[in-house]
Structure formats: C-alpha cells, structure tokens
Amino acid sequence: MLGRIHSIETCGTVDGPGIRFILFTQGCPLRCQYCHNPDSWKVQGGEEMDTEKLIKDVIKYKPYMRNSGGGITISGGEPLLQPDFVQDMFKKCKDEGIHTCLDTSGFVKLNVADPVLDYTDLVLLDIKSYNPDVFKDLTGIPLDPTLAFAEHLNERGIPVWIRYVLVPNLTDNLDDIEELAKYLTTLKNVERIDILPFHKMGEFKWEELGYDYKLKDTQSPEKELVDQAKTIFKNHKLPIFGADKL
Ligand code: SF4
C-alpha cells in the first residue's frame, strides 16, 4: 500500500509515549497560522512510500520501543487524508505487537476514520481553540468536526491526549480555555493534556514558500501565562501534563 510521506523521524520522543518511529504524512486540509510544516500542505508533494518497506524499517527500532514503552506515531500534515495507507501501516504494526498512535486534527468524516481507529491504541488530538470564531480564523476550517471526533473517540473508548498550542493574543483567552476544560470533563478517555507554548520554528519555511506568516510579531507566551492555562485544567481535576511544576 502506497502513501505520500513528508518526512520520517526514527527516534521521536514528544509525539506519544516512549521512543517512537514517526511518519509525517503529506497533505493537510487545514491552514493553521502557526504551522511548522507548511510544505506538508499540498497533497501531491512528499515522497511515495510503501508500507511493506516501511514496516521493515519500523521493526528495526522495536528494541528501543520495547524498552521505553514507545511505538509508532503517524502524524502530518493530516494522516486521515490517507486512511487506507494509515490503516495498513497500523495493521502491520499491530501484527508486530507495536503500539500505534495517530496524531490528527480530527477534521475527518467518522466513517473514514473508523477503519483506522480499529488499529489505533492512542490518539493525539489537537483542539486548537474552543471558540469557533478563533478556531476558524486560526485553521481555516470549522470547529465542530473536531469535537464530533473527540466525542466519537470517547464512545469508542480510545485513549486520547489533547494538545493545545498557546499563542499570545490568539488562543490565550482564559474564558475560552475554561470552556475547553469544562468540555473535556465530559469525556472519559482523556489520559493527558499538553499545553504547547507557541514558538516560531517554522517561520522560515513560510518565507521560503512565499506564504504570508501572520504571527511574525507574536512572541512565545510567558511562563506565567502557561501556568495560568495549566491551572485551569488542574482546577477541573484534568490530567494536565506538568501540573506538578505549578
Ligand atoms: S493541522 Fe498541522 S500540518 Fe495541518 S496546517 Fe495545522 S499545524 Fe500544519
């Protein structure tokens, strides 16, 4: 089964538990203002790769995965634009006893996602804002499908880690974060919440591609703001990562 791949990281440590083989797929329907990989947007870019070959590469890293509680993560772009490829890759991993993690925006039809979810152990779900207007402005798409996806994962009992990028003057409204926290208390499958402070690592790619980077003048959030956001989740007894350091 062929898929279009943007890049590969063989020993990733930030996209799911343990040491992970990370496949970044090509193509994304979102246009997030803070995207690090705008070169992953076009569906026709990247390199075509075969799951038969990829699984052989993944297997080489099994000892690292076993010792660290890791596995494979398929990220993007948006992996669910290539559901057959991701399903086949995950299926092959499950046959090898490898933990599978899907990193997604959740902007997908549920019947398209379901065959992939049959082989998914963990989902990393970005909820980029709980305010529909901010979400639309930030991503170019509506919020509802992501929430529908979150609720579907809850119904299926698939563990999820929620990720929230904190951007000054964009996603730092504490009332919106409070509403997000309340919403997350209605889900039973949230294992962890990560607040990711905004940074501009991808800015040079926007320039290279001739795209207009709207966050040029935006700085990373102060620690105090990150702590305020974390405290909101903590107050709702949600599993916020790094809460012990508050
Ligand atoms: S979902 Fe990810 S890859 Fe797609 S535009 Fe947003 S940040 Fe970039």
Side-chain angles (χ1 to χ4, degrees), residues 28 30-32 34-35 40-41 76-77 105 128:
C28 187
L30 280 68
R31 294 292 178 265
C32 300
Y34 50 58
C35 184
S40 73
W41 289 350
S105 67
K128 294 165 191 282

PDB file of all heavy atoms in Angstrom, residues 28 30-32 34-35 40-41 76-77 105 128, ligand 1:
ATOM      1  N   CYS A  28      -2.581  18.326   3.926  1.00  0.00           N
ATOM      2  CA  CYS A  28      -3.379  18.769   5.073  1.00  0.00           C
ATOM      3  C   CYS A  28      -4.457  19.727   4.615  1.00  0.00           C
ATOM      4  O   CYS A  28      -4.185  20.639   3.829  1.00  0.00           O
ATOM      5  CB  CYS A  28      -2.496  19.447   6.115  1.00  0.00           C
ATOM      6  SG  CYS A  28      -3.425  19.823   7.618  1.00  0.00           S
ATOM      7  N   LEU A  30      -6.037  21.756   6.621  1.00  0.00           N
ATOM      8  CA  LEU A  30      -6.023  22.939   7.477  1.00  0.00           C
ATOM      9  C   LEU A  30      -4.937  23.913   7.005  1.00  0.00           C
ATOM     10  O   LEU A  30      -4.031  23.532   6.274  1.00  0.00           O
ATOM     11  CB  LEU A  30      -5.753  22.554   8.934  1.00  0.00           C
ATOM     12  CG  LEU A  30      -6.947  22.009   9.736  1.00  0.00           C
ATOM     13  CD1 LEU A  30      -7.379  20.650   9.216  1.00  0.00           C
ATOM     14  CD2 LEU A  30      -6.644  21.934  11.221  1.00  0.00           C
ATOM     15  N   ARG A  31      -5.052  25.125   7.481  1.00  0.00           N
ATOM     16  CA  ARG A  31      -4.030  26.132   7.181  1.00  0.00           C
ATOM     17  C   ARG A  31      -3.714  26.887   8.465  1.00  0.00           C
ATOM     18  O   ARG A  31      -3.910  28.101   8.559  1.00  0.00           O
ATOM     19  CB  ARG A  31      -4.547  27.105   6.094  1.00  0.00           C
ATOM     20  CG  ARG A  31      -4.755  26.464   4.733  1.00  0.00           C
ATOM     21  CD  ARG A  31      -3.427  26.054   4.100  1.00  0.00           C
ATOM     22  NE  ARG A  31      -3.583  25.380   2.814  1.00  0.00           N
ATOM     23  CZ  ARG A  31      -3.616  24.059   2.637  1.00  0.00           C
ATOM     24  NH1 ARG A  31      -3.534  23.238   3.689  1.00  0.00           N
ATOM     25  NH2 ARG A  31      -3.726  23.543   1.436  1.00  0.00           N
ATOM     26  N   CYS A  32      -3.223  26.180   9.470  1.00  0.00           N
ATOM     27  CA  CYS A  32      -3.001  26.788  10.785  1.00  0.00           C
ATOM     28  C   CYS A  32      -1.974  27.917  10.683  1.00  0.00           C
ATOM     29  O   CYS A  32      -0.916  27.741  10.062  1.00  0.00           O
ATOM     30  CB  CYS A  32      -2.504  25.742  11.764  1.00  0.00           C
ATOM     31  SG  CYS A  32      -3.673  24.397  11.976  1.00  0.00           S
ATOM     32  N   TYR A  34       0.066  28.899  12.758  1.00  0.00           N
ATOM     33  CA  TYR A  34       1.373  28.618  13.373  1.00  0.00           C
ATOM     34  C   TYR A  34       2.015  27.337  12.839  1.00  0.00           C
ATOM     35  O   TYR A  34       2.968  26.821  13.434  1.00  0.00           O
ATOM     36  CB  TYR A  34       1.256  28.538  14.897  1.00  0.00           C
ATOM     37  CG  TYR A  34       0.164  27.636  15.439  1.00  0.00           C
ATOM     38  CD1 TYR A  34       0.106  26.286  15.134  1.00  0.00           C
ATOM     39  CD2 TYR A  34      -0.811  28.153  16.293  1.00  0.00           C
ATOM     40  CE1 TYR A  34      -0.882  25.468  15.651  1.00  0.00           C
ATOM     41  CE2 TYR A  34      -1.803  27.349  16.812  1.00  0.00           C
ATOM     42  CZ  TYR A  34      -1.836  26.007  16.490  1.00  0.00           C
ATOM     43  OH  TYR A  34      -2.820  25.209  17.004  1.00  0.00           O
ATOM     44  N   CYS A  35       1.521  26.819  11.722  1.00  0.00           N
ATOM     45  CA  CYS A  35       2.025  25.534  11.202  1.00  0.00           C
ATOM     46  C   CYS A  35       3.557  25.550  11.041  1.00  0.00           C
ATOM     47  O   CYS A  35       4.116  26.482  10.475  1.00  0.00           O
ATOM     48  CB  CYS A  35       1.372  25.247   9.850  1.00  0.00           C
ATOM     49  SG  CYS A  35       1.845  23.642   9.199  1.00  0.00           S
ATOM     50  N   SER A  40       4.051  20.656   4.063  1.00  0.00           N
ATOM     51  CA  SER A  40       3.304  19.385   4.089  1.00  0.00           C
ATOM     52  C   SER A  40       1.876  19.567   3.577  1.00  0.00           C
ATOM     53  O   SER A  40       1.120  18.606   3.484  1.00  0.00           O
ATOM     54  CB  SER A  40       3.247  18.820   5.521  1.00  0.00           C
ATOM     55  OG  SER A  40       2.356  19.586   6.320  1.00  0.00           O
ATOM     56  N   TRP A  41       1.470  20.785   3.256  1.00  0.00           N
ATOM     57  CA  TRP A  41       0.067  21.037   2.925  1.00  0.00           C
ATOM     58  C   TRP A  41      -0.405  20.376   1.620  1.00  0.00           C
ATOM     59  O   TRP A  41      -1.458  19.774   1.560  1.00  0.00           O
ATOM     60  CB  TRP A  41      -0.191  22.549   2.825  1.00  0.00           C
ATOM     61  CG  TRP A  41      -0.146  23.255   4.144  1.00  0.00           C
ATOM     62  CD1 TRP A  41      -0.096  22.690   5.392  1.00  0.00           C
ATOM     63  CD2 TRP A  41      -0.128  24.681   4.348  1.00  0.00           C
ATOM     64  NE1 TRP A  41      -0.048  23.676   6.355  1.00  0.00           N
ATOM     65  CE2 TRP A  41      -0.072  24.900   5.745  1.00  0.00           C
ATOM     66  CE3 TRP A  41      -0.160  25.778   3.490  1.00  0.00           C
ATOM     67  CZ2 TRP A  41      -0.049  26.189   6.293  1.00  0.00           C
ATOM     68  CZ3 TRP A  41      -0.133  27.049   4.033  1.00  0.00           C
ATOM     69  CH2 TRP A  41      -0.085  27.251   5.422  1.00  0.00           C
ATOM     70  N   GLY A  76       1.258  14.418  10.755  1.00  0.00           N
ATOM     71  CA  GLY A  76       1.153  15.026   9.438  1.00  0.00           C
ATOM     72  C   GLY A  76       1.804  16.389   9.381  1.00  0.00           C
ATOM     73  O   GLY A  76       2.633  16.692  10.238  1.00  0.00           O
ATOM     74  N   GLY A  77       1.236  17.172   8.433  1.00  0.00           N
ATOM     75  CA  GLY A  77       0.050  17.004   7.610  1.00  0.00           C
ATOM     76  C   GLY A  77      -1.128  16.423   8.392  1.00  0.00           C
ATOM     77  O   GLY A  77      -1.178  16.506   9.608  1.00  0.00           O
ATOM     78  N   SER A 105      -5.881  16.269  13.492  1.00  0.00           N
ATOM     79  CA  SER A 105      -6.693  17.445  13.805  1.00  0.00           C
ATOM     80  C   SER A 105      -8.149  17.047  14.043  1.00  0.00           C
ATOM     81  O   SER A 105      -8.950  17.870  14.466  1.00  0.00           O
ATOM     82  CB  SER A 105      -6.646  18.429  12.640  1.00  0.00           C
ATOM     83  OG  SER A 105      -7.315  17.855  11.515  1.00  0.00           O
ATOM     84  N   LYS A 128      -7.530  23.173  18.752  1.00  0.00           N
ATOM     85  CA  LYS A 128      -6.707  24.381  18.590  1.00  0.00           C
ATOM     86  C   LYS A 128      -7.317  25.623  19.229  1.00  0.00           C
ATOM     87  O   LYS A 128      -6.617  26.590  19.503  1.00  0.00           O
ATOM     88  CB  LYS A 128      -6.411  24.591  17.112  1.00  0.00           C
ATOM     89  CG  LYS A 128      -5.516  23.453  16.587  1.00  0.00           C
ATOM     90  CD  LYS A 128      -5.470  23.364  15.102  1.00  0.00           C
ATOM     91  CE  LYS A 128      -4.806  22.102  14.606  1.00  0.00           C
ATOM     92  NZ  LYS A 128      -3.342  22.092  14.658  1.00  0.00           N
TER      93      LYS A 128
HETATM   94  S1  SF4 B   1      -3.048  20.593  11.130  1.00  0.00           S
HETATM   95 FE1  SF4 B   1      -0.849  20.506  11.481  1.00  0.00          FE
HETATM   96  S2  SF4 B   1       0.055  20.250   9.429  1.00  0.00           S
HETATM   97 FE2  SF4 B   1      -2.045  20.948   9.151  1.00  0.00          FE
HETATM   98  S3  SF4 B   1      -1.895  23.153   8.952  1.00  0.00           S
HETATM   99 FE3  SF4 B   1      -2.318  22.694  11.096  1.00  0.00          FE
HETATM  100  S4  SF4 B   1      -0.334  22.581  12.105  1.00  0.00           S
HETATM  101 FE4  SF4 B   1       0.013  22.426   9.861  1.00  0.00          FE
END
